Amino acid sequence: MVRRIEVTGSGGVRLAAWEFAEPPKAGGGVRYGGVCGGRGTGRGTGYGVGRGRVAGEGHAAGSGGVLLLHGLLGRAAHWAETARWLSTRYRTIALDQRGHGRSGKPVSGPYAREAYVADAEATVEQLGLAPVTLIGHAMGALTAWQLAARRPDLVRALVICDMRASALGAATQREWSEWFKSWPVPFATLADVRKWFGEEDPTLERPAPARGDFYAEVMSERADGWRPLFFRRQMLQAREGYAHDAHWEELAQVECPALVVRGLDGALGRAEAQEMVRVLPRGRYAEIPDAGHLAHYDQPDGWRRVAEPFLEAAVPA
């Protein structure tokens, strides 16, 4: 079960956070209703949802929690499977970051790195999650280690999934812009979304059904068909901060235990991942066979096998 919690981010941007918990016992606990994400979630991640500003039940107040941060183009619902097993041990929150999911998408932004880090910081403080365990994928992982470097007093442990510390390069921004232009939006059906992103996307080397499911999760039905929940122009703005800049110095400032995870076919190469572990004062390394960039999503069992032992050692429930 999950409920939606409203958070006020940097500059007053409205953020949607989702608190996962065990289903309440009959006759007591929180009452939930409705379905998160509207129609068309891709992998059975619809769930009961309520609203509130209260702490998660079944976990001691002040004992800290887990904050899950999705990557660029993602949403909190992509963490559903991870959140379900985490919520049996920890208070677990997944955040729709600005410009994504059900969170605010201010026309004028900002979509700079500082805004994303400030939003995560505000979420931790407003929801009483400190000392928090930050788990991030791609852009969300960068936000996580930047917050850990800025506010070591707030962060207990860190998991980085498939995010590079090196700058990606200006050319990749042009490539992404062209890729966005190639999307056949609007899609007539969710089946078309899954087929295009899982089979027909010209950037694919081989079919990837889980990738099709991933993108089906971030579409919303409009009058003319299915369109993204985000604005592609804003996504390019959000990507600027790590396309052009490296973040090794901030990585070295992370004081807490940290796990760097990569899929063997992901965006983060083994040599760079191992260098990140060396730079981290308390870094550890893990890799997931048969996983790509969406390791936590397309290989949930492998992801759990590497993440859970680290969390149990670094963050005893």
Side-chain angles (χ1 to χ4, degrees), residues 154-174:
L154 292 183
V155 184
R156 175 181 288 181
L158 170 67
V159 180
I160 297 167
C161 181
D162 211 60
M163 181 61 192
R164 298 178 59 186
S166 300
L168 304 183
T172 64
Q173 283 293 87
R174 294 190 294 272

Side-chain angles (χ1 to χ4, degrees), residues 86-160:
L86 284 171
S87 67
T88 65
R89 294 172 57 88
Y90 315 103
R91 185 182 176 203
T92 304
I93 305 289
L95 180 67
D96 277 339
Q97 297 182 78
R98 65 171 58 209
H100 298 77
R102 299 301 178 187
S103 286
K105 302 167 179 64
V107 174
S108 59
Y111 293 96
R113 286 279 79 228
E114 293 78 9
Y116 283 100
V117 177
D119 287 347
E121 182 178 7
T123 302
V124 171
E125 293 185 325
Q126 289 174 36
L127 301 186
L129 297 176
V132 70
T133 297
L134 298 173
I135 302 177
H137 171 247
M139 182 191 77
L142 176 56
T143 300
W145 89 61
Q146 288 181 313
L147 177 56
R150 176 188 293 186
R151 293 292 307 274
D153 58 305
L154 292 183
V155 184
R156 175 181 288 181
L158 170 67
V159 180
I160 297 167

Side-chain angles (χ1 to χ4, degrees), residues 168-207:
L168 304 183
T172 64
Q173 283 293 87
R174 294 190 294 272
E175 292 167 2
W176 269 65
S177 180
E178 291 303 312
W179 179 56
F180 279 149
K181 292 175 184 176
S182 75
W183 291 17
V185 174
F187 294 92
T189 68
L190 276 183
D192 291 331
V193 174
R194 293 188 179 96
K195 185 175 182 181
W196 196 84
F197 286 101
E199 300 176 23
E200 297 175 349
D201 183 343
T203 65
L204 278 177
E205 295 182 359
R206 56 183 178 273

Side-chain angles (χ1 to χ4, degrees), residues 204-238:
L204 278 177
E205 295 182 359
R206 56 183 178 273
R211 186 175 185 265
D213 291 339
F214 180 95
Y215 281 99
E217 294 257 15
V218 296
M219 297 290 162
S220 177
E221 189 174 23
R222 314 285 178 82
D224 60 348
W226 293 83
R227 293 180 176 273
L229 284 167
F230 48 78
F231 297 103
R232 286 167 282 178
R233 176 181 55 81
Q234 294 178 351
M235 296 299 96
L236 286 173
Q237 292 173 6

